[in-house]
Amino acid sequence: MNTLMGVKGRDFVLLGGDSAFFRSVVIMDTEYRKVVELSDNVLVATSGDQGDVEMFVEWLKRNARLMQLESSRPVGARTLAHFARRNLADKLRKQGAGQAVTALIGGWNEVACQPELFWLDALGALQDVPFGAHGLASRFALSLLDNGFREGMSLDEARHLMETCFRQLERRYLVSSVGFSMKVVDKDGCRDVACIERGEEGTGGRGGRGGGGGGASEQPAGRGKPVVLPSSESSLS
């Protein structure tokens, strides 16, 4: 499963992603971090082709550092989001081959004293959003985020909402993730919030629309105790 999620709260941006790195149908790494720091006050969560993702993140990180050295002030999420969008659009339209990268870029605007979250896709489309998701599982996550999101959420509320999304994905999606990690950025900088391991108890919360209000701590269907079949001798008798 390849999933990125982001939520903009009252005074923070929370980004999360699954921790699986896979190639074709083979899982290569179960502790891969898809949410990384671009600067002291900007985070990016990326998914897509692994080579393009690594190149994109390193290129964006080094350009963020260069901009900061040239201007002698921190570079915000809005500046980096538009800079990344222009690069993806130019490669796609001028070189004829773009980068297979999608991203969520979040940060703290020190001038306006408010959080910012941007949704960016591989075609160079950029949008300022209150919440967003990327990846195959975004088809499930977006409806859950839309149902549970509200303006001015606290960090605990946003964390519980994202955990609920992850638990529902683990329960309903065909390919389950091996783990999930989150980072938050606010006026104090970037830091880890939690790393959810598969099989831990959920934190509750409502499911998606039509889900009957099932809590996120419910055990995924088909993963209960193993069914013991009768032996062949007893079945014949």
Side-chain angles (χ1 to χ4, degrees):
M1 180 172 64
N2 197 2
T3 306
L4 304 176
M5 286 183 281
V7 176
K8 181 169 65 175
R10 180 172 56 243
D11 53 2
F12 65 90
V13 172
L14 181 66
L15 295 181
D18 65 285
S19 56
F21 165 42
F22 56 88
R23 184 178 181 85
S24 183
V25 295
V26 179
I27 296 178
M28 310 296 290
D29 190 0
T30 60
E31 297 181 356
Y32 184 76
R33 293 300 183 96
K34 296 181 179 178
V35 183
V36 298
E37 299 179 21
L38 294 179
S39 65
D40 294 338
N41 59 348
V42 180
L43 291 173
V44 62
T46 54
S47 66
D49 181 81
Q50 196 61 30
D52 287 346
V53 166
E54 293 289 344
M55 184 182 301
F56 176 80
V57 171
E58 290 300 319
W59 169 84
L60 196 56
K61 187 184 298 184
R62 281 160 174 71
N63 276 278
R65 179 59 177 165
L66 178 61
M67 292 178 188
Q68 185 173 351
L69 291 174
E70 290 178 341
S71 62
S72 299
R73 60 182 181 180
V75 181
R78 181 177 297 274
T79 300
L80 290 177
H82 283 278
F83 184 72
R85 188 214 71 82
R86 179 61 182 269
N87 176 74
L88 291 177
D90 285 347
K91 285 190 174 182
L92 179 64
R93 291 161 177 81
K94 293 182 179 180
Q95 300 180 10
Q99 288 181 301
V101 178
T102 58
L104 292 171
I105 302 175
W108 176 257
N109 189 323
E110 295 186 350
V111 177
C113 294
Q114 64 182 16
E116 296 176 327
L117 177 61
F118 297 91
W119 182 95
L120 176 66
D121 72 359
L123 299 178
L126 181 68
Q127 184 66 39
D128 186 350
V129 294
F131 61 86
H134 274 303
L136 294 174
S138 64
R139 294 168 175 81
F140 295 91
L142 282 173
S143 61
L144 295 172
L145 290 171
D146 181 58
N147 185 47
F149 176 82
R150 65 176 181 81
E151 293 290 341
M153 295 182 73
S154 67
L155 180 57
D156 286 340
E157 290 173 334
R159 180 180 181 272
H160 291 167
L161 174 60
M162 198 169 288
E163 287 180 357
T164 300
C165 292
F166 175 71
R167 293 304 171 197
Q168 289 297 321
L169 291 175
E170 188 180 53
R171 177 182 180 183
R172 301 180 185 277
Y173 200 59
L174 179 63
V175 181
S176 296
S177 177
V178 295
F180 198 72
S181 62
M182 291 184 282
K183 278 182 175 287
V184 65
V185 56
D186 54 19
K187 62 181 180 180
D188 298 322
C190 306
R191 63 186 183 276
D192 290 327
V193 172
C195 185
I196 308 170
E197 298 296 337
R198 183 175 175 179
E200 288 184 2
E201 291 295 328
T203 56
R206 295 180 300 171
R209 291 186 177 94
S217 60
E218 294 179 4
Q219 190 175 20
R223 296 181 188 171
K225 296 181 179 179
V227 178
V228 180
L229 298 177
S231 63
S232 57
E233 294 180 358
S234 60
S235 61
L236 291 175
S237 60

